[in-house]
């Protein structure tokens, strides 16, 4: 890609005006800020029946990344305050889990830390697909990013980070539900990627005490080696040079969340062949006109195209220097926003299994809109293309 590529000219040429772009950027920050709870929790989607009243560490960490890049330091500090309070209250629970695990007990998933919390930090009473470790790694990663970007002192969140770290360190290689809250029978590659990012953040030395810091160095290496040894498969053509990451250990398919193993989690360097092949495989199998599916077999709401995944792939494209592709994805995402700027979780312009859409609408109502994670990712993608002028 030539260094003379002008992102804004390209966006205009593709029909995205400066005014609409600026509106969507500001609206994204307003949606996130506007729906943030007074205690700092970010709701996943304030109006969607199944997500109402809950905050996820996974969604929250990516929302925080977008807001941190946008420059709303107070909003992000507030979220980290909330996670810190929520996790600090789980100190004894995690200590007990570690003891039971080290004694060889087969711990029921229901006893593990939850995936999502009510705004007051409780588990909530609705059944959910609990036991997902990725969010704990992601939160450590985001604290590290935010603290260094804005020179915020992370020591204020140390108690919560120690809980997240101890939980992740003990259970990182266990089967658990993936980013999409499915397949608890497997070890998922993008979950490992998030844990790698969390351990790497801690290993840099300014988040936790010396003992945990040096453990984190070893864990980051272990997780990466585990991924490279077990989650690399040959491309469809069985051409060794087309090796790429797989959806889970033992799977022969891809999942769009794998892109995070490159950017932002850094398991694979942007310039590595394995990274390029993985992004290519994700695009080849899952990207349709700029809209990215989660995975081929996805039936949730018919298996539509997820805005946040288009942003994730595009963030990778921008990081690898392909600004034109990244800008094209941004145009697609912008064109999926409602007139008022709200961004949905997914759209049904192209579905894997249209026949499955109605059953979900009957169960939970129309797809989650606005989804704060979509807005957070839009801010991150805009920043990765140099389009955020409000950045602090
Ligand atoms: C997605 C999760 C997400 C949650 C809340 C679920 O449908 O699969 O990844 O964390 O919604 O947005």
């Amino acid at each position: 890609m030539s260094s003379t590529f002008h992102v804004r000219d390209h966006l205009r040429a593709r029909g995205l005006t400066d005014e609409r772009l600026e509106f969507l950027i500001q609206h994204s920050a307003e949606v996130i800020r506007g729906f943030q709870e007074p205690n700092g929790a970010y709701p996943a989607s304030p109006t969607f029946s199944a997500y109402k009243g809950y905050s996820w560490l996974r969604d929250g960490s990516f929302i925080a990344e977008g807001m941190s890049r946008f420059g709303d330091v107070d909003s992000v500090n507030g979220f980290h305050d909330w996670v810190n309070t929520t996790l600090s209250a789980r100190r004894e629970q995690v200590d007990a889990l570690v003891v039971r695990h080290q004694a060889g007990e087969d711990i029921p998933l229901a006893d593990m830390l939850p995936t999502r919390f009510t705004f007051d930090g409780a588990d909530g009473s609705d059944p959910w697909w609990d036991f997902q470790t990725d969010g704990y790694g992601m939160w450590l990663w985001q604290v590290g990013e935010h603290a260094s970007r804005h020179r915020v002192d992370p020591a204020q969140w140390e108690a919560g980070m120690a809980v997240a770290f101890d939980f992740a360190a003990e259970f990182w290689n266990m089967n658990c539900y993936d980013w999409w809250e499915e397949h608890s029978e497997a070890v998922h590659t993008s979950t490992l990627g998030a844990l790698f990012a969390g351990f790497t953040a801690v290993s840099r030395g300014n988040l936790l005490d010396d003992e945990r810091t040096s453990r984190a160095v070893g864990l980051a290496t272990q997780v990466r080696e585990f991924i490279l040894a077990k989650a690399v498969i040959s491309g469809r053509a069985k051409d060794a040079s087309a090796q790429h990451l797989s959806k889970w250990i033992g799977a022969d398919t891809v999942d769009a969340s794998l892109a995070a193993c490159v950017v932002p989690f850094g398991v694979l360097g942007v310039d590595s062949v394995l990274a390029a092949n993985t992004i290519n495989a994700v695009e080849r199998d899952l990207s349709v006109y700029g809209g990215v599916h989660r995975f081929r077999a996805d039936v949730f709401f018919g298996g539509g195209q997820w805005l946040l995944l288009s942003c994730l792939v595009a963030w990778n494209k921008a990081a690898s220097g392909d600004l034109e592709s990244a800008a094209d994805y941004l145009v697609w995402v912008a064109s999926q926003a409602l007139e008022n700027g709200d961004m949905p979780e997914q759209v049904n312009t192209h579905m894997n299994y249209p026949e499955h859409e109605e059953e979900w609408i009957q169960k939970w109502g129309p797809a989650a809109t606005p989804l704060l994670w979509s807005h957070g990712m839009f801010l991150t993608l805009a920043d990765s293309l140099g389009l955020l002028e409000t950045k602090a």
Side-chain angles (χ1 to χ4, degrees):
M1 181 59 46
S2 122
S3 57
T4 56
F5 178 75
H6 293 296
V7 176
R8 283 183 190 273
D9 288 348
H10 187 79
L11 298 178
R12 284 182 209 116
R14 293 278 192 275
L16 178 58
T17 64
D18 292 356
E19 293 72 26
R20 181 70 176 163
L21 172 64
E22 191 52 29
F23 170 74
L24 289 175
I25 289 170
Q26 295 302 330
H27 184 73
S28 289
E30 278 161 25
V31 165
I32 294 170
R33 189 61 162 159
F35 286 114
Q36 185 169 19
E37 287 293 302
N39 68 3
Y42 288 134
S45 181
T47 50
F48 184 64
S49 64
Y51 304 167
K52 218 184 228 172
Y54 287 92
S55 178
W56 275 252
L57 296 183
R58 173 176 44 251
D59 299 49
S61 300
F62 281 109
I63 295 164
E65 177 66 12
M67 285 300 257
S68 176
R69 286 165 175 261
F70 179 76
D72 194 335
V73 179
D74 289 347
S75 168
V76 180
N77 288 349
F79 174 67
H80 293 325
D81 287 344
W82 175 76
V83 181
N84 181 50
T85 306
T86 299
L87 294 188
S88 299
R90 304 294 180 132
R91 180 72 267 169
E92 282 176 20
Q93 185 182 353
V94 169
D95 287 345
L97 285 168
V98 170
V99 170
R100 289 166 67 186
H101 191 232
Q102 291 184 355
E105 187 182 329
D106 194 6
I107 303 172
L109 298 193
D111 292 0
M112 293 293 193
L113 292 188
T115 297
R116 58 181 200 165
F117 298 88
T118 59
F119 302 146
D120 59 5
D123 287 23
S125 48
D126 313 288
W128 202 253
W129 296 271
D130 277 319
F131 192 44
Q132 302 173 25
T133 49
D134 60 281
Y136 294 88
M138 285 170 191
W139 182 59
L140 293 167
W141 161 76
Q142 212 297 307
V143 171
E145 295 296 299
H146 177 65
S148 69
R149 179 177 296 121
H150 293 289
R151 300 188 197 294
V152 170
D153 183 4
Q156 56 190 315
W157 304 307
E158 187 173 349
M161 285 194 290
V163 171
F165 176 81
D166 293 351
F167 185 65
E170 187 64 29
F171 298 112
W172 70 268
N173 56 1
M174 269 184 68
N175 294 349
C176 71
Y177 289 102
D178 64 7
W179 285 33
W180 317 128
E181 328 207 278
E182 296 182 352
H183 296 290
S184 60
E185 75 283 5
V187 174
H188 299 278
T189 312
S190 45
T191 296
L192 292 172
L195 291 162
F196 169 82
F199 296 141
T200 301
V202 173
S203 77
R204 297 205 170 110
N206 64 333
L207 300 189
L208 287 169
D209 53 85
D210 290 351
E211 203 230 303
R212 288 189 174 93
T213 300
S214 72
R215 253 185 103 192
V217 176
L219 281 161
T221 307
Q222 240 181 305
V223 175
R224 185 165 188 278
E225 283 172 358
F226 188 84
I227 292 173
L228 295 178
K230 301 198 180 265
V232 176
I233 53 170
S234 297
R236 282 226 221 109
K238 297 286 175 243
D239 168 2
S241 69
Q243 282 189 328
H244 58 74
L245 294 181
S246 62
K247 181 171 164 68
W248 65 70
I249 309 304
D252 60 1
T253 54
V254 289
D255 185 293
S257 62
L258 288 172
C261 290
V262 187
V263 172
F265 297 148
V267 178
L268 307 176
V270 178
D271 298 327
S272 73
V273 173
L274 197 50
N277 288 347
T278 299
I279 303 298
N280 286 344
V282 165
E283 286 197 283
R284 184 196 57 216
D285 285 8
L286 303 172
S287 177
V288 180
Y289 308 126
V292 177
H293 293 282
R294 299 193 297 183
F295 52 96
R296 280 245 176 132
D298 190 10
V299 295
F300 182 53
F301 278 88
Q305 294 159 297
W306 285 53
L307 279 66
L308 67 94
L309 290 173
S310 296
C311 292
L312 177 64
V313 171
W315 186 6
N316 272 271
K317 290 285 177 181
S320 69
D322 185 355
L323 299 184
E324 183 169 344
S325 297
D328 285 342
Y329 276 111
L330 184 128
V331 170
W332 183 86
V333 174
S335 70
Q336 306 309 314
L338 306 185
E339 196 48 42
N340 74 357
D342 284 359
M343 293 185 181
E345 173 190 78
Q346 59 175 297
V347 292
N348 62 6
T349 40
H350 185 275
M351 291 181 278
N352 291 328
Y353 299 97
E355 65 278 18
H356 281 278
E357 187 187 24
E358 193 52 32
E359 78 202 46
W360 286 98
I361 296 178
Q362 291 303 325
K363 188 174 156 122
W364 284 350
T369 313
L371 186 84
L372 273 63
W373 188 3
S374 298
H375 285 284
M377 292 297 287
F378 185 72
L379 291 174
T380 293
L381 176 56
D383 185 48
S384 75
L385 284 165
L387 298 168
L388 289 192
E389 280 153 14
T390 46
K391 197 168 159 181

